[in-house]
Amino acid sequence: MDDRSSPGARGSVTAAADRGAGNRAGVLGTALAGVLAFALSSGSWQWFSTYIGVTLLAIVLAFTSPPAPLSGTRSGYVRSLAVQSLVIGLCVALALAPALQRWPWLLPMPGTRTECAHLGDYAALQARAALGGLGGRGSAALSYAQQDQSRHAVDDCLSATTTLWLPLYALGAALLTALGIWWATRRTTTGTR
C-alpha cells in the first residue's frame, strides 16, 4: 500500500463531505432566519423585509450550489432540490412582501383595498372623536393625528391580506426555482454525455 496516495484520496472525500455539510448548513440557517423574520414581523410589511429577503437570497446563492443528480441517489437529489427551492421561495416572499402590500399591479386585491380604505376613514374619525376638544386649538395636530391613524389602519389591513397571500407567492417562486435548477442540471448532464 502506498502511503502517499491514501491521504489524498481521503482528503478529496472529506472535502466533498464538508462542502455538502456546508451547503446543508447554509440552507438550514437561511431557512431558520426566514422563519424568524416571519415570526417576528408584526403590523405593516416594511421595506426592511425586502433587505432581509435579498440578503438571505444572496447567502443561499453564494454559499450553496444546486444539487447535482448522482447515480443511485434520486431521492436525495429530489429532497435537496425541494429544500433549496423552498428556501429560495421563502427569501423571495420576504423580499416581495412590502411591494405586494403597496403596489396594486403586483397584488390587486381590489375588494380588500377598498375595505382597507374604509377602515382608514373610520380610524380618522375615531382620532377626531378622541381629540375633539383640541380641534379649535390645534387643527394641524388634529389633522396629522387623523392622517397617521388612517395610514396605520390601512397598512395593517393590507399587510394582513398580504400575509395571507405570501405562501402562494413563495410556493410559486419555489416551483419556478425547482424547475429552473432541474432544467439546468438536466441540460448539463445531457450535454456532457
Side-chain angles (χ1 to χ4, degrees):
M1 181 173 179
D2 186 8
D3 288 289
R4 286 177 279 164
S5 65
S6 181
R10 275 190 224 128
S12 63
V13 171
T14 305
D18 288 344
R19 267 196 315 267
N23 284 345
R24 286 190 299 275
V27 170
L28 291 175
T30 303
L32 177 62
V35 168
L36 287 174
F38 268 119
L40 298 176
S41 67
S42 62
S44 173
W45 284 99
Q46 300 301 319
W47 290 108
F48 189 62
S49 171
T50 300
Y51 179 78
I52 292 170
V54 169
T55 301
L56 295 176
L57 188 60
I59 290 169
V60 169
L61 296 176
F63 294 107
T64 61
S65 57
L70 301 172
S71 60
T73 59
R74 184 161 176 80
S75 65
Y77 170 71
V78 170
R79 193 170 45 246
S80 295
L81 180 64
V83 167
Q84 189 169 21
S85 299
L86 288 171
V87 169
I88 289 174
L90 177 67
C91 295
V92 169
L94 274 172
L96 281 179
L100 291 172
Q101 177 181 329
R102 288 165 178 79
W103 298 338
W105 62 269
L106 196 54
L107 181 60
M109 55 181 177
T112 302
R113 289 191 188 276
T114 303
E115 292 169 8
C116 290
H118 292 313
L119 279 175
D121 293 343
Y122 179 69
L125 289 174
Q126 281 184 320
R128 182 176 186 86
L131 300 173
L134 300 175
R137 286 178 261 166
S139 59
L142 177 61
S143 176
Y144 175 77
Q146 284 181 293
Q147 290 172 0
D148 186 55
Q149 291 298 320
S150 176
R151 183 176 44 82
H152 280 299
V154 170
D155 286 349
D156 287 345
C157 176
L158 290 175
S159 71
T161 304
T162 301
T163 302
L164 290 175
W165 283 95
L166 275 181
L168 183 64
Y169 278 78
L171 185 60
L175 287 173
L176 288 174
T177 300
L179 286 172
I181 292 172
W182 174 80
W183 181 75
T185 55
R186 182 174 177 204
R187 223 173 134 203
T188 303
T189 56
T190 56
T192 57
R193 288 181 188 172

